[in-house]
Amino acid sequence: MQFVKNGPEVPAALLKAHEDGKVVFFCGAGVSYPAGLPTFKNLVDEIYNELSETKTEQECQSYKEKRYDQVLSALEARIVNGRAVVRRALFNILQPDLSKPNSTLTHESILTLATSNKDESTRLVTTNFDRIFELSADNLALKLESNQAPFLPIPKPSKWSSIVYLHGLLPEDVDDVQIMNRLVLTSGDFGSAYLTERWASRFVGELLRGYEVCFIGYSIEDQVVRYMMDALAADKLLGEKTKSAWAFGASTRIDMHKTANEWKAKGVVPVLYEIDDDNDHSLLHSTLEKWSALYRDGIEGKERYVTSSAHLLPVSSTKEDNFIGRMLWALFDESGIPAKSFAQIEPPAPLEWFLDVISKPKASNDMLSELSEIGFNSLSNFNNSLFSNSSDGEPWGNIETSLSGWLVKHLDDARLLSWVLNNGQRPVSRLKRLIEQELVKMQTAPNSCNEVVSNIPTNYSAYSDLLEHPFRFYLNTSDQRIVG
């Protein structure tokens, strides 16, 4: 579903896994862009500028191949006291500009999404060195633990609740040499973390076995993504059960298909958003903000969305602003509470939500199909719960109970009777009782029914045809009870 106009379509499977506490967000440099901090590539450029250094031929070649860790490794090796000098420059460059608009909003949104509504545990991993997550946690009054490389937790649900700085965290004091030296910055640092000492690869492997990972703020070329996906592929070769991996990724409109295939080739499900020549990633940041707000508010947030959008006609939904997807995601929450609020709206929500969306085959709407595929049985069984060749049909839950109550408020709409006639099945006994109760409420029920009959398609206009149909016969019987 889309959270913002023209934004990325967040798959229902990711939304469901996140609500079930099965997703860990894995954050890269892109999330700190609103605070004026650079990508890895730009960080390398700024370090050279800070030190007034020029790349050697070897460093230029590594830079061209986007092996930025090797560039910095070579730089540290060739200048006097290189490790300390480069890291001091790094410290200066990675001080966020908190005066920028919304400089910490994305971090606050991700922290909200990473904090469970059920047990308030927080599980978040970042390869960034900056301290913006620490500042954002203070802004949200969250008391969180943090684990810094190489001292990492075991990523088990029963044991882990913290922000993990997988490659280290900048100290508050630049002279804290011990912490500065622990930062995973150069190719040598990466080799120790992932290949020789392997503390990072062990953490990553355990993480991928226990959680679905969602990358935010990385590009397809990022070395971290490569290490992660190599670890995932290795586990698969060993027969290990691994979870899904997702990635929010940017692409120009013309390259969308190509970019999606590149992510898929790495074993990652892409969640793409469009950028233009200005390299504007606002669609990502806005999506995270809106998603986190809805998640923070839980059921109440879904209720508010349902009640504020119920009056809209589905036909006005577009690919650029797919509010049908948002509506279905909220409406079919398994608690049944948003569906109950939807059913209680007066005047009733348009019948088009049933005729044009809910009653359609799953394949006719991406979100409808996705919700059914990931186990929203109330959605896939809804029509069979109301109309069936047997008297009972599928069992009713809270969603079916609420939406059937809404549906019978449209008994005076000829389109509903036409749909039932064309559907060719009988209303189940519980729905028949609701119909009867609704007709009792309608003081003009006989006239309403006559009007319905007069407005149905001509191929059903013969009274005898209608009388033989179970729904028309039931309406007629109910009318007799009211009249006489």
Side-chain angles (χ1 to χ4, degrees):
M1 64 170 274
Q2 283 179 314
F3 287 95
V4 297
K5 186 176 181 179
N6 294 314
E9 286 277 0
V10 183
L14 174 55
L15 295 172
K16 181 68 164 58
H18 172 252
E19 289 191 343
D20 290 345
K22 298 176 181 178
V23 172
V24 170
F25 293 98
F26 209 103
C27 302
V31 304
S32 296
Y33 182 79
L37 299 188
T39 62
F40 200 2
K41 173 182 180 295
N42 293 338
L43 174 63
V44 171
D45 295 336
E46 292 189 32
I47 287 175
Y48 274 83
N49 291 335
E50 177 94 1
L51 301 178
S52 299
E53 288 287 338
T54 303
K55 298 181 189 71
T56 66
E57 183 177 347
Q58 174 196 350
E59 290 161 11
C60 284
Q61 183 61 35
S62 296
Y63 184 86
K64 184 178 179 181
E65 295 171 357
K66 300 181 180 180
R67 299 185 179 276
Y68 305 119
D69 58 324
Q70 292 183 6
V71 177
L72 294 178
S73 190
L75 177 63
E76 281 192 355
R78 72 173 171 82
I79 63 176
V80 177
N81 199 21
R83 192 168 182 85
V85 170
V86 168
R87 282 155 204 263
R88 184 173 288 271
L90 173 78
F91 183 93
N92 294 334
I93 293 165
L94 293 184
Q95 300 306 308
D97 183 356
L98 300 180
S99 67
K100 285 181 170 288
N102 301 323
S103 59
T104 63
L105 181 58
T106 297
H107 292 75
E108 291 168 10
S109 299
I110 294 172
L111 277 173
T112 299
L113 288 168
T115 301
S116 171
N117 281 340
K118 298 175 182 177
D119 61 12
E120 297 185 347
S121 60
T122 300
R123 301 185 184 101
L124 174 66
V125 181
T126 180
T127 51
N128 296 346
F129 303 132
D130 64 71
R131 302 185 65 86
I132 304 179
F133 276 120
E134 300 294 301
L135 294 169
S136 300
D138 290 341
N139 293 343
L140 297 173
L142 291 174
K143 295 181 179 180
L144 301 178
E145 290 187 22
S146 63
N147 299 109
Q148 306 170 28
F151 308 111
L152 305 181
I154 299 172
K156 297 284 189 182
S158 59
K159 299 180 179 180
W160 174 35
S161 177
S162 68
I163 304 174
V164 171
Y165 293 92
L166 185 61
H167 293 166
L169 173 67
L170 286 178
E172 296 185 67
D173 184 353
V174 68
D175 292 322
D176 194 332
V177 177
Q178 188 176 35
I179 293 180
M180 293 291 283
N181 281 333
R182 290 175 185 158
L183 300 179
V184 179
L185 179 64
T186 68
S187 56
D189 299 324
F190 275 94
S192 295
Y194 288 90
L195 298 176
T196 56
E197 297 179 13
R198 298 193 70 249
W199 46 263
S201 55
R202 282 195 297 271
F203 175 85
V204 167
E206 193 66 41
L207 181 73
L208 291 172
R209 284 188 285 272
Y211 293 94
E212 299 186 22
V213 172
C214 181
F215 295 103
I216 306 175
Y218 293 98
S219 69
I220 191 72
E221 301 92 358
D222 270 314
Q223 188 169 13
V224 173
V225 176
R226 186 171 74 248
Y227 276 120
M228 291 278 288
M229 292 305 100
D230 286 349
L232 186 65
D235 278 349
K236 286 181 178 178
L237 286 175
L238 294 172
E240 295 279 359
K241 291 184 178 180
T242 57
K243 308 291 184 180
S244 300
W246 315 80
F248 282 88
S251 176
T252 59
R253 180 174 298 181
I254 196 171
D255 287 335
M256 277 285 182
H257 184 69
K258 174 174 174 282
T259 304
N261 286 338
E262 289 174 345
W263 279 109
K264 290 174 184 176
K266 291 182 178 290
V268 180
V269 180
V271 185
L272 300 183
Y273 58 94
E274 186 177 332
I275 55 172
D276 52 25
D277 294 337
D278 296 331
N279 205 30
D280 179 7
H281 294 265
S282 59
L283 290 175
L284 168 64
H285 300 289
S286 298
T287 293
L288 294 172
E289 178 191 357
K290 297 297 184 184
W291 183 9
S292 69
L294 272 174
Y295 178 68
R296 177 197 63 216
D297 295 340
I299 299 299
E300 291 181 0
K302 290 184 177 181
E303 272 191 285
R304 280 199 301 274
Y305 187 81
V306 163
T307 54
S308 66
S309 304
H311 67 284
L312 299 173
L313 291 175
V315 70
S316 60
S317 182
T318 63
K319 183 178 181 180
E320 293 73 25
D321 186 18
N322 181 13
F323 66 78
I324 288 180
R326 294 194 292 274
M327 185 66 156
L328 290 174
W329 173 69
L331 184 62
F332 282 89
D333 182 90
E334 291 175 322
S335 70
I337 295 174
K340 183 177 180 180
S341 297
F342 177 86
Q344 292 174 342
I345 293 171
E346 293 294 344
L351 181 61
E352 281 80 357
W353 280 109
F354 176 75
L355 298 176
D356 298 341
V357 180
I358 298 173
S359 69
K360 295 292 186 182
K362 294 191 292 289
S364 66
N365 184 281
D366 289 342
M367 180 57 68
L368 202 67
S369 178
E370 288 180 28
L371 287 171
S372 296
E373 288 172 5
I374 61 175
F376 280 81
N377 293 327
S378 293
L379 175 59
S380 58
N381 293 338
F382 181 70
N383 291 339
N384 292 335
S385 300
L386 271 62
F387 304 98
S388 175
N389 288 324
S390 66
S391 60
D392 293 332
E394 298 285 345
W396 282 18
N398 293 332
I399 295 174
E400 291 85 356
T401 299
S402 294
L403 293 187
S404 58
W406 156 70
L407 200 58
V408 298
K409 293 179 181 179
H410 290 283
L411 288 180
D412 57 350
D413 192 319
R415 295 173 301 167
L416 179 57
L417 181 56
S418 296
W419 185 91
V420 174
L421 292 169
N422 285 313
N423 188 58
Q425 291 183 319
R426 300 171 181 270
V428 299
S429 55
R430 286 189 67 177
L431 180 58
K432 286 184 178 182
R433 288 194 294 272
L434 282 178
I435 292 171
E436 183 176 28
Q437 292 167 10
E438 187 64 25
L439 289 175
V440 170
K441 294 177 187 177
M442 297 165 57
Q443 294 181 1
T444 59
N447 293 332
S448 297
C449 291
N450 290 335
E451 184 178 349
V452 168
V453 171
S454 67
N455 287 323
I456 64 172
T458 54
N459 57 320
Y460 289 112
S461 60
Y463 181 81
S464 58
D465 290 342
L466 289 171
L467 188 59
E468 290 180 2
H469 194 280
F471 190 48
R472 174 61 191 129
F473 180 75
Y474 182 77
L475 288 176
N476 183 63
T477 305
S478 298
D479 288 351
Q480 294 300 321
R481 292 180 187 175
I482 295 170
V483 174

